[in-house]
Amino acid sequence: MAQTVMQRPAFGPARPASGRRSNRKLQLAVVALVLVAAVGYLVYSGLRTNVYYQTVNELQAAGAKEAGRQVRVAGDVAAGSIVKEDSGSVVHFTITDGSGSMPVVYQGAIPDIFQPGIQVVVEGKYHPGGEFQATTLLAKCPSKFQAATPVASK
C-alpha cells in the first residue's frame, strides 16, 4: 500500500496546494487597496485645492499659505494701472475687488476686451508683497454683450 507523504516546509506547518491561491488573493487585495487609497488621495487633494477662483482680499488674507502656489484670482482692472512693455506681450496692471488690490504681471496674448474696469481672472503664482506672476489671463465679457431684458409692450 502506497502512502501519501506531505512535504513539510522548513518552517511552519505543512501547507496544502490551495495555499498558493489564497496567497494570490491576498496579493490582489493588497494591490486593490493601494489603488483605491491612491485614487482617494488624488480626489481629496484635488477637491481641497481646486477652487475656481479667489478674490484679491481672500488671497491676501491667506498670505504666506498661498505663496508660490498656482492659484486663480478674480478682480476688476484698476483704472490707469495698465502699462504695456515695448514688446506688447508683457503687461503690468492692478486688480482690485473693492477691499484690496494687487499688482499683476502677465506675458502672453492679451484679450481684445482687456481694458480698465473689466473683470478678469488671472491664474499664476502669488508672491506676497510683490507682483502676481500670471500665466493665464481671462477677461469676462462686459454687460453690454449680455442680452437685453425685454420691455413689456402696451
Side-chain angles (χ1 to χ4, degrees):
M1 182 167 189
Q3 250 184 337
T4 305
V5 177
M6 291 184 71
Q7 290 186 348
R8 231 182 231 295
F11 298 100
R15 288 196 297 171
S18 66
R20 289 185 184 179
R21 287 186 203 168
S22 64
N23 192 20
R24 178 161 284 173
K25 286 182 182 179
L26 178 63
Q27 288 174 344
L28 289 175
V30 169
V31 169
L33 183 64
V34 168
L35 288 175
V36 167
V39 169
Y41 173 75
L42 290 175
V43 168
Y44 169 75
S45 64
L47 291 175
R48 186 176 54 92
T49 59
N50 193 11
V51 175
Y52 183 67
Y53 61 79
Q54 299 175 28
T55 65
V56 174
N57 193 32
E58 289 170 342
L59 182 63
Q60 290 175 336
K65 183 175 111 177
E66 298 290 343
R69 291 181 57 194
Q70 191 80 6
V71 293
R72 291 183 189 128
V73 185
D76 297 329
V77 177
S81 69
I82 299 174
V83 177
K84 292 182 181 178
E85 290 187 7
D86 293 335
S87 65
S89 66
V90 177
V91 63
H92 298 263
F93 59 97
T94 301
I95 60 172
T96 181
D97 65 357
S99 60
S101 63
M102 176 175 64
V104 177
V105 62
Y106 169 72
Q107 180 174 358
I110 299 168
D112 291 337
I113 60 174
F114 180 76
Q115 61 186 357
I118 195 96
Q119 288 184 330
V120 294
V121 175
V122 291
E123 182 176 353
K125 296 198 176 180
Y126 177 57
H127 304 285
E131 288 184 314
F132 183 89
Q133 301 290 319
T135 55
T136 304
L137 172 62
L138 303 171
K140 292 186 176 183
C141 292
S143 60
K144 69 180 181 182
F145 293 121
Q146 294 178 353
T149 40
V151 177
S153 60
K154 292 184 179 182

